[in-house]
Amino acid sequence: MGMLRDRVMMVSSEVNPWAKSGGLADVLGALPNALAALGYHVAVVVPRYMHAADSPASRVIDRMAVPLGDIQ
């Protein structure tokens, strides 16, 4: 593997094989490994439902604010 490149965070509602309802899960099951093979540091964020709670996950941060604009 070459030098470490940029970091990538993918956020999805599903990821194969832990939470799958369509093709998006297949992409999120394969793309992170392909990017890592190219030298990217990849993190995948997915809700812990279905079998995602059984995934080999590790907590990276405790909390992250996501601003959604001016909500009234």
Side-chain angles (χ1 to χ4, degrees):
M1 185 158 98
M3 129 179 142
L4 187 64
R5 296 184 181 196
D6 291 328
R7 298 185 310 172
V8 176
M9 180 171 68
M10 298 181 169
V11 180
S12 177
S13 59
E14 55 185 284
V15 62
N16 192 20
W18 300 286
K20 178 173 170 51
S21 62
L24 178 62
D26 295 328
V27 172
L28 268 289
L31 186 55
N33 290 332
L35 289 173
L38 293 173
Y40 290 89
H41 181 82
V42 183
V44 177
V45 178
V46 62
R48 293 184 60 83
Y49 54 65
M50 297 174 80
H51 296 285
D54 300 331
S55 70
S58 61
R59 185 179 302 264
V60 178
I61 58 174
D62 289 326
R63 172 177 300 197
M64 180 173 65
V66 179
L68 299 174
D70 187 24
I71 299 176
Q72 297 186 14

